Structures are given as C-alpha cells and as structure tokens.
Amino acid sequence: MPLGSLMQGGPHPDTPGVTIASPRTYELFGAVCFAGRRDRSFTRLAGLSGAGHGDRVLDVGCGTGYLTRRMAAQVGPDGAVTGVDPSPPVLAHARSRKRRPGSAPCAYREGIAEALDLPDASFDTVVTSLMLHHLPEDLRLPALCEMRRVLRPGGRLLVAEFRPPSSRLGRLLVHGGTAHAMAHNRVDLLDGLVADAGFEVSGHGDVRPWLYYVQARRAEE
C-alpha cells in the first residue's frame, strides 16, 4: 500500500504482495494462497486479538473485510466493528457481504493507516493483517502510533504479517510468485516496531501457514 494509497489493480493488504484485477479475484487468490486454511487462520487471529463480547474493534487495512467479519463474530451482536481501507472498490465488496447471524455490525470507511480520521481512545481492540509491509518504512511507525491513539488506555492491539518461508526454495517461490519485499519481509523487527509506537508487547507467535503475529496493549493511563 504505497504511501497509504491502495487502488483497484494495486496491492492489497490481506494477501501478501499481490496485484489483482478485482476484489473477487483477490478473494479467490486469498483462498488459494492459504491452501484451504484461510478461514482457520483468520478465525485464530480473531481469537488471538483478545477482543471480547461487546468490544468496539477497528480493522486497519481491512481490504474486503475477511478479518473484519471474523472480528464481528468474535465480539458478538453487542459489539461494533469498523474496517478502514483506502480502496473504494474493495470497500464496496466488503459492504456487499452478508452479516453472519450473531455477529456485530460491520461499518466500512475510506481512510489511510498513517492518518486515521477517528477519535482518540474510541476502540477497545485494533487489529491489522498483512498491511504494514505495503507501507513505506517511514510510514510504518506513524501508522502504529495512530492505532495507539485510537485505542482506549488498556486496549489491545494485534498485528499480523506475512512470514517468509525459511527454506531457500520457499523464498524463491515467494519472490517469483508475489514480490521481492515478501520474500524478505523482516517480521523479526515487528516486535520492536510495535514497542517503539508506545505499546507494551505481550506476546507473539506463528499462525500457519504464512503468518506471524504480535499482541500488545496500550498502557493504562
């Protein structure tokens, strides 16, 4: 997502380093890329977020709303989930998806990660998946600082990023199939970046097949 701008036909934040023709193609690629594990992987991310029933959740770089909808199921009908993304076409696709029974309502709005047009301390949980690597390096810290700003004191953050394969062959496949940046995505720096934004890092780990996550909190004030 160069300079916070994401246009149809450009890279999308839910799927690593991919340029697509339409949101529907994007959804299909996501299903193939995760080899049938996408729902399981993103449902686990929703659980790892620590969001509880009735929470207000923000999904930054929501794309077509795949994680957004799973967060809505996580917080239940008394919660509320907002997805933010710069691309009108993918937001239109997200809005077209039906609400699951027992889920919170999902609202989608256009915006960029490094300048969120949202009030201070207005969310209990903020999540972002496969978005930061699309930002230029100098915008990644500002984006995380914005996520901290919109979290209430004591609120939770979950950041999920693409974890490159450890084998040389795997890295070559990623490099050839997606993008050079994805073959060398420095997830080992993610914990420190989150801490630099003022968060207290509380955990990290892997979600198969391709994800690395960091859990953090905004300190009580």
Side-chain angles (χ1 to χ4, degrees):
M1 191 165 61
L3 297 176
S5 299
L6 180 61
M7 303 301 294
Q8 185 176 18
H12 283 257
D14 284 357
T15 307
V18 176
T19 298
I20 65 163
S22 72
R24 291 187 182 278
T25 305
Y26 166 36
E27 289 278 15
L28 177 61
F29 183 89
V32 172
C33 180
F34 279 85
R37 299 181 183 177
R38 193 183 186 202
D39 182 67
R40 183 187 308 174
S41 297
F42 279 77
T43 298
R44 187 175 174 214
L45 286 180
L48 288 166
S49 74
H53 287 281
D55 274 6
R56 300 159 297 168
V57 178
L58 175 66
D59 183 6
V60 180
C62 65
T64 55
Y66 199 85
L67 179 58
T68 320
R69 294 188 294 275
R70 279 139 193 86
M71 294 305 304
Q74 176 78 13
V75 301
D78 294 329
V81 183
T82 300
V84 172
D85 196 276
S87 171
V90 296
L91 290 174
H93 183 84
R95 293 185 184 108
S96 74
R97 302 302 298 267
K98 292 182 179 180
R99 179 179 172 185
R100 293 183 175 188
S103 294
C106 293
Y108 295 98
R109 56 190 299 167
E110 192 173 342
I112 57 175
E114 66 273 20
L116 295 170
D117 186 17
L118 293 163
D120 295 356
S122 53
F123 294 94
D124 302 297
T125 303
V126 173
V127 298
T128 184
S129 61
L130 299 167
M131 183 277 294
L132 282 177
H133 71 266
H134 286 301
L135 289 174
E137 290 187 10
D138 63 337
L139 292 183
R140 294 173 189 176
L141 183 59
L144 286 165
C145 289
E146 277 290 272
M147 296 179 209
R148 182 182 180 278
R149 179 184 64 79
V150 301
L151 265 178
R152 64 167 175 80
R156 296 166 295 270
L157 173 74
L158 180 80
V159 180
E161 263 300 337
F162 177 73
R163 173 178 48 78
S166 57
S167 70
R168 182 183 178 190
L169 176 59
R171 288 194 298 272
L172 288 172
L173 289 172
V174 169
H175 175 77
T178 56
H180 177 78
M182 298 319 304
H184 302 281
N185 196 26
R186 294 291 306 275
V187 293
D188 58 305
L189 303 178
L190 192 56
D191 296 57
L193 187 63
V194 170
D196 287 345
F199 288 98
E200 298 176 350
V201 175
S202 57
H204 60 237
D206 295 328
V207 173
R208 293 183 178 181
W210 306 115
L211 301 176
Y212 176 80
Y213 68 86
V214 175
Q215 298 161 306
R217 296 182 71 89
R218 176 176 173 175
E220 297 281 0
E221 298 172 358

